[in-house]
Amino acid sequence: MKKTLLLSLLCMVLALPAMAQYGYPYGGRPRVQTVGRHGNEYVAWHSYYFGLRVGLNASHVSSESPLLNGTGVKTGLNIGVAAGTQLTYRAPLFIESGLYYSQKGGKSGDGNNKFTYDLNYLEVPLIIKYKHFVGNQTSIQPYAGGYLAIGTDGDIKNYGTRTAFSSFDDGYFNRFDGGLKIGCGVGFNMLYMDASYDIGLANIGQDNFDDTRNGCFTLNIGVNF
């Protein structure tokens, strides 16, 4: 699985310059006619878009349980698709969702007591995004919203005993996760990149007395159509 994701990441990065060469202004095709005037009213160039995203996660697990509380950051891939639509022609305000395969987790302990947690999810974000155009082909896009996720696979590795077992099936982590997402993107022609942070609100630990939550910083790059 990791080799397939790495190959997909490499192919997409190599294809980005060629895809952007034939792009349209503002990162989408001219699907709607101009609305309003160029005076005080907003001019709506595009009503919806689709995108491909690939990037890097830097995640950690924070917990009231000493066993699960993270002391280090774990890196992983984030890859998926996005779709957005304009909420009103009077303002460049968009609602966006998508589907991502997101590799999260964390590290705890050190030396013979070192643990690593692989927590891989299918994740669905729902965000509100504002596109502020700073040039003919460039926009800054702050956003905020939330996400829901379901765990698909992952291992816990105990380096002290040289053993590994399932993160979700052996009594440590729940599969469901959800929380807040905040970030900011930059669009140039069809090219797009953003940085975001997931604030986990769900208790992902199976111990009801000790809260355990995800936190994840993500850098993505992609294209919009």
Side-chain angles (χ1 to χ4, degrees):
M1 173 66 75
K2 290 185 177 180
K3 290 183 178 179
T4 301
L5 291 173
L6 286 171
L7 182 60
S8 301
L9 172 62
L10 178 62
C11 292
M12 185 171 178
V13 170
L14 292 176
L16 287 178
M19 298 173 76
Q21 181 178 357
Y22 300 101
Y24 292 82
Y26 313 113
R29 296 181 182 273
R31 299 185 179 94
V32 293
Q33 70 275 16
T34 299
V35 179
R37 300 188 301 269
H38 289 278
N40 295 326
E41 295 185 43
Y42 172 70
V43 179
W45 287 282
H46 313 288
S47 61
Y48 60 93
Y49 58 89
F50 302 95
L52 303 176
R53 305 282 187 265
V54 65
L56 180 69
N57 286 339
S59 60
H60 67 93
V61 173
S62 59
S63 177
E64 295 174 348
S65 167
L67 177 64
L68 300 182
N69 189 50
T71 58
V73 171
K74 191 176 185 303
T75 59
L77 291 178
N78 185 66
I79 185 169
V81 295
T85 186
Q86 193 169 342
L87 291 175
T88 171
Y89 74 87
R90 296 182 181 276
L93 199 63
F94 292 75
I95 185 170
E96 180 182 300
S97 187
L99 180 64
Y100 293 82
Y101 178 71
S102 185
Q103 296 180 325
K104 297 182 179 180
K107 300 178 181 179
S108 68
D110 54 21
N112 292 332
N113 295 319
K114 179 181 176 182
F115 291 84
T116 61
Y117 313 116
D118 294 323
L119 304 173
N120 304 324
Y121 296 92
L122 283 179
E123 185 173 300
V124 177
L126 185 63
I127 60 174
I128 300 296
K129 176 178 290 187
Y130 182 86
K131 292 189 178 183
H132 174 65
F133 295 100
V134 295
N136 288 337
Q137 299 185 37
T138 305
S139 61
I140 298 174
Q141 306 175 19
Y143 58 83
Y147 72 92
L148 295 174
I150 186 74
T152 59
D153 62 287
D155 294 322
I156 298 175
K157 297 177 182 178
N158 185 333
Y159 286 81
T161 60
R162 307 297 293 178
T163 56
F165 36 93
S166 172
S167 298
F168 298 112
D169 296 330
D170 289 328
Y172 286 92
F173 292 98
N174 295 315
R175 290 186 181 271
F176 173 78
D177 187 25
L180 303 177
K181 180 183 288 288
I182 57 174
C184 187
V186 177
F188 177 76
N189 207 319
M190 289 179 68
L191 289 176
Y192 176 82
M193 63 183 64
D194 71 6
S196 64
Y197 189 78
D198 291 347
I199 305 170
L201 298 181
N203 181 10
I204 62 171
Q206 292 195 9
D207 187 340
N208 292 327
F209 294 95
D210 293 324
D211 283 345
T212 303
R213 307 184 192 279
N214 271 321
C216 184
F217 176 77
T218 302
L219 286 174
N220 274 335
I221 188 171
V223 290
N224 285 336
F225 303 96

